[in-house]
């Protein structure tokens, strides 16, 4: 038995989806609705009605066909989870529940703990290592209106919470490492206050050329989306 096969299961939801079990990493399921089912069950954290899941993920196929498709997606999910399936999934005729035990390494679990903890600029590095992008940013199911609305809302809520924490942390520090500021303007490229903080700090440190370059890069980014910077910036 290899060292990798003894490693605890690991799941990454921020940025691109990734699940590592027994030394094998999975980034895609057989089809996207299996991934959607996994993400929805995990983030709900409680039993979810099967009829509701079928209607949400197969809205145009009727309840009977939707339930059949749900059974198939659940079968695919079980296969992907392997030996973890029986521990992680609780399935009845009426509902499905997914629970990843404490032995799982979940970026969403660790990030939640950080966001609920005290505000500390020293934490921002770890926070950014976890929040690598929006929640399962590659997942899009426009044909499933209810699910897509839930996904966009959930993505936005996580993004806003992370930004709010970082803004509070920045407010406690007179100087922030340029490495952190570069990460912030890269990770949240359209968010003006992080660009402004980097421009201001570079200027205060006498790096006028770098400050000017950062400001122009931000203006170009805004121009691509037809936006204008805030007047005070």
């Amino acid at each position: 038995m290899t060292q990798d096969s003894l490693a605890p299961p690991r799941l990454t939801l921020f940025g691109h989806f990734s699940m590592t079990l027994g030394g094998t990493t999975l980034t895609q399921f057989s089809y996207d609705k299996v991934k959607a089912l996994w993400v929805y069950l995990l983030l709900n954290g409680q039993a979810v009605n099967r009829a509701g899941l079928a209607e949400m993920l197969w809205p145009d196929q009727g309840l009977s066909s939707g339930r059949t498709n749900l059974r198939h997606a659940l079968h695919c999910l079980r296969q992907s989870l392997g030996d973890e399936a029986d521990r992680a999934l609780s399935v009845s005729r009426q509902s499905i529940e997914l629970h990843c035990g404490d032995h799982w390494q979940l970026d969403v679990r660790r990030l939640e703990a950080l966001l609920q903890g005290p505000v500390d600029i020293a934490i921002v590095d770890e926070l950014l290592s976890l929040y690598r992008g929006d929640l399962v940013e590659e997942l899009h199911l426009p044909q499933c209106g209810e699910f897509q609305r839930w996904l966009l809302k959930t993505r936005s809520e996580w993004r806003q919470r992370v930004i709010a924490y970082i803004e509070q942390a920045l407010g406690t520090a007179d100087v922030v490492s340029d490495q952190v500021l570069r990460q912030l303007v890269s990770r949240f490229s359209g968010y003006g206050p992080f660009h402004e903080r980097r421009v201001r700090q570079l200027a205060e440190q006498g790096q006028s050329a770098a400050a000017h370059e950062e400001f122009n890069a931000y203006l170009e980014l805004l121009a691509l989306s037809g936006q204008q910077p805030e007047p005070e910036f």
Side-chain angles (χ1 to χ4, degrees), residues 125-141:
D125 260 334
E126 183 182 359
L127 191 150
L128 290 173
S129 74
L130 294 166
Y131 190 84
R132 300 177 181 180
D134 284 334
L135 186 76
V136 279
E137 60 187 15
E138 78 279 9
L139 182 59
H140 301 280
L141 293 178

Side-chain angles (χ1 to χ4, degrees), residues 37-102:
L37 178 64
W38 165 268
V39 172
Y40 189 82
L41 289 172
L42 178 66
L43 294 184
N44 266 273
Q46 59 186 355
V48 182
N49 180 267
R50 292 180 73 136
L53 285 169
E55 185 175 355
M56 179 177 65
L57 293 175
W58 292 273
D60 302 323
Q61 300 198 18
L63 185 55
S64 178
S65 294
R67 282 181 174 274
T68 299
N69 289 325
L70 177 60
R71 284 195 297 272
H72 183 262
L74 184 59
H75 173 71
C76 294
L77 184 55
R78 279 189 176 280
Q79 285 189 316
S80 300
L81 286 169
D83 293 340
E84 287 289 327
D86 288 339
R87 285 189 285 182
L89 288 166
S90 299
V91 180
S92 72
R93 291 176 62 87
Q94 289 77 36
S95 65
I96 306 172
E97 183 173 1
L98 175 66
H99 174 69
C100 294
D102 292 341

